[in-house]
Amino acid sequence: MASTAEIKSRIKSVEDTRKITNAMYLIASTKLRRARNDLEKTRPYFDELRAEIKRIFRTVSDVDSRYFYPPDREPQVEGPYGCLVITADKGLAGAYNQNVIKEAQKLKEEHGEMQLFVVGEYGRHFYDQHHIPIEHTFLYTAQNPTMDRAREISALLLDKYDRGELKKIYVVYTDMKNSMEAVARSTRLLPFHRAQFISPTPEKAVTSPFEFYPSVTAVLNNIIPSYLSGFIYSTLIDSFCSEQNARMNAMNAANQNAEELLADLGMQYNRIRQANITQEITEISAGAKAQRQERQRRKDVKSL
């Protein structure tokens, strides 16, 4: 049975750990709030870009662009695929990283020949440990998702796509639906399907003529890099928010476990302390009784 000194030492260790997990919870909540604000500040610009692409398709129906499938079909594309995998730089975030890796592995099994572009140290370590080749790693992006980093990723992927080195590009990230639910999902980045830019509700028809210079294809191809950068930036921010939310939940669970453990340890400490006090009282009482008996024995001897 543990001594009171050992239990006190363990209680102190748990309290120190609880301070760390509580601090990590507060840090994650601050980062989550800041990332959401950053995304909200940039979202209107990319919403307008998407609206302009939709406007082009409503104006001209026969747009020919390498970034879009034909309007009537989705042809089978042969060749290497690219996959942007967004993980975190560290753990302690529940199943956040494992879910992304599983989704990426499933995509790799379905498509076979696939080049991996990894964001986050966790993903890089995983693929290195399993001897899976990585085409490119983007360092320090997971903990600091910025528009500049999104443009860097977009430029690299677009360059490989334009040169024909990649026929399709996917992104695997974590979609944070709400504070209670986040889902790892895979989405095709390139080529786009025109249905992605068709509104579910009817919109006002375009009546005024548009003039595209030098051509509608050139205008569309010029918009796509900015739109792709915005899409990647939103996935980075979404993944970052999901990571911080997962870390908050993990640290909150750790805090609750620490509270329960401290309560159990406190009960053990009090029980042992009470047992020690009882034993001491018993020993004192037994000693006092023995002394009384000894004094009585001596009196009886003297009386004889």
Side-chain angles (χ1 to χ4, degrees):
M1 189 174 183
S3 65
T4 54
E6 292 173 341
I7 294 179
K8 286 180 69 175
S9 175
R10 192 175 179 192
I11 288 175
K12 186 178 184 307
S13 176
V14 173
E15 288 177 342
D16 291 341
T17 303
R18 184 179 58 176
K19 291 179 182 178
I20 295 173
T21 55
N22 187 56
M24 293 182 66
Y25 176 88
L26 296 175
I27 292 171
S29 63
T30 302
K31 289 183 176 180
L32 174 61
R33 186 166 54 252
R34 186 183 306 158
R36 281 177 169 172
N37 291 336
D38 291 343
L39 183 60
E40 290 303 320
K41 291 177 182 177
T42 57
R43 191 186 298 275
Y45 171 73
F46 297 105
D47 287 344
E48 286 301 317
L49 277 181
R50 183 181 182 87
E52 290 306 315
I53 295 175
K54 291 164 61 177
R55 192 190 304 253
I56 290 174
F57 283 126
R58 292 202 311 272
T59 306
V60 183
S61 59
D62 57 345
V63 181
D64 182 20
S65 172
R66 63 182 179 275
Y67 299 124
F68 290 86
Y69 281 127
D72 56 341
R73 59 193 175 91
E74 185 174 323
Q76 184 67 29
V77 180
E78 299 294 336
Y81 291 1
C83 182
L84 176 65
V85 183
I86 303 176
T87 64
D89 282 334
K90 55 186 177 182
L92 298 177
Y96 168 79
N97 290 298
Q98 291 83 353
N99 291 338
V100 174
I101 294 295
K102 287 179 183 178
E103 186 66 24
Q105 290 297 99
K106 183 170 67 174
L107 191 64
K108 185 174 176 60
E109 291 172 1
E110 292 175 356
H111 297 286
E113 187 180 1
M114 180 171 286
Q115 298 180 14
L116 295 174
F117 302 83
V118 181
V119 173
E121 283 296 292
Y122 188 97
R124 186 181 69 83
H125 283 303
F126 174 85
Y127 290 120
D128 285 345
Q129 290 175 357
H130 291 78
H131 307 290
I132 300 175
I134 299 175
E135 183 68 20
H136 191 87
T137 302
F138 301 97
L139 300 176
Y140 314 117
T141 302
Q143 283 301 309
N144 185 26
T146 62
M147 194 64 224
D148 288 337
R149 297 185 187 278
R151 289 193 181 99
E152 175 188 348
I153 297 172
S154 174
L156 177 63
L157 296 177
L158 269 176
D159 181 62
K160 286 184 171 293
Y161 183 82
D162 290 339
R163 290 189 296 176
E165 297 180 12
L166 297 175
K167 300 301 182 181
K168 281 186 181 181
I169 301 176
Y170 290 84
V171 57
V172 178
Y173 68 104
T174 306
D175 181 18
M176 183 176 171
K177 294 185 176 181
N178 51 58
S179 60
M180 300 299 295
E181 185 180 6
V183 180
R185 64 171 67 250
S186 60
T187 302
R188 187 181 65 228
L189 280 179
L190 288 173
F192 293 108
H193 199 287
R194 296 170 194 237
Q196 295 176 243
F197 298 91
I198 297 177
S199 299
T201 57
E203 298 184 9
K204 184 178 179 181
V206 178
T207 56
S208 302
F210 286 93
E211 182 178 353
F212 299 96
Y213 182 83
S215 66
V216 63
T217 300
V219 171
L220 188 60
N221 291 346
N222 190 54
I223 295 176
I224 288 301
S226 294
Y227 178 76
L228 191 65
S229 298
F231 190 93
I232 292 176
Y233 178 65
S234 67
T235 60
L236 290 174
I237 293 292
D238 209 2
S239 295
F240 182 75
C241 290
S242 300
E243 176 196 348
Q244 301 309 319
N245 188 66
R247 183 163 292 114
M248 286 172 58
N249 292 334
M251 294 303 103
N252 184 53
N255 288 336
Q256 294 177 358
N257 292 336
E259 292 289 345
E260 295 176 1
L261 186 57
L262 286 173
D264 291 339
L265 290 172
M267 290 180 60
Q268 292 181 30
Y269 178 80
N270 291 332
R271 191 178 297 117
I272 294 174
R273 185 167 173 268
Q274 186 177 15
N276 291 338
I277 293 173
T278 303
Q279 183 178 358
E280 290 177 2
I281 293 174
T282 303
E283 291 173 353
I284 293 172
S285 300
K289 182 178 180 181
Q291 288 180 355
R292 287 196 302 269
Q293 291 175 348
E294 179 64 20
R295 285 195 299 268
Q296 185 63 38
R297 187 185 64 81
R298 288 178 181 178
K299 287 181 181 181
D300 293 342
V301 171
K302 287 181 181 181
S303 64
L304 293 175

